[in-house]
Amino acid sequence: MNKTDPPTPRGLKTIGLTPFIYRSDQPLFHVSAGVPIGDALAQASDLLFLAKAFTEDAAYSKDSDRHAWAAHYLTAMGKAVIDDVVQALTP
């Protein structure tokens, strides 16, 4: 590999700069740096799968506040992980 070749996706890891869940205009959490992107994407998939299940429950339940908020936080986490992976993949 020469200096112009990008690293292979297999060797890439999260960069840990992506914040999520803000309070008073400050991020409460960040994606952790150094996680292999394959593992990070698998985790994002799990988070988004659960969020989808909660939104389906919320759509059919009258008392669904807890489902809606859980889905909100899970999608925020999943999006942050995916955004961090995209930053790792973008030169």
Side-chain angles (χ1 to χ4, degrees):
M1 179 159 82
N2 63 38
K3 291 182 182 181
T4 60
D5 291 337
T8 63
R10 210 169 276 220
L12 291 177
K13 298 181 183 215
T14 55
I15 58 174
L17 297 177
T18 307
F20 61 97
I21 312 295
Y22 286 81
R23 292 292 174 244
S24 301
D25 295 329
Q26 289 189 315
L28 216 57
F29 302 103
H30 286 83
V31 173
S32 294
V35 178
I37 61 169
D39 294 343
L41 289 173
Q43 184 64 54
S45 178
D46 290 343
L47 292 168
L48 296 173
F49 173 81
L50 290 170
K52 180 181 179 289
F54 279 130
T55 56
E56 287 173 351
D57 288 348
Y60 296 110
S61 175
K62 289 183 181 181
D63 181 28
S64 62
D65 285 354
R66 69 178 183 270
H67 294 101
W69 280 110
H72 168 75
Y73 288 117
L74 289 166
T75 54
M77 288 186 264
K79 180 184 182 319
V81 171
I82 291 170
D83 289 350
D84 205 79
V85 168
V86 167
Q87 288 182 33
L89 290 170
T90 305

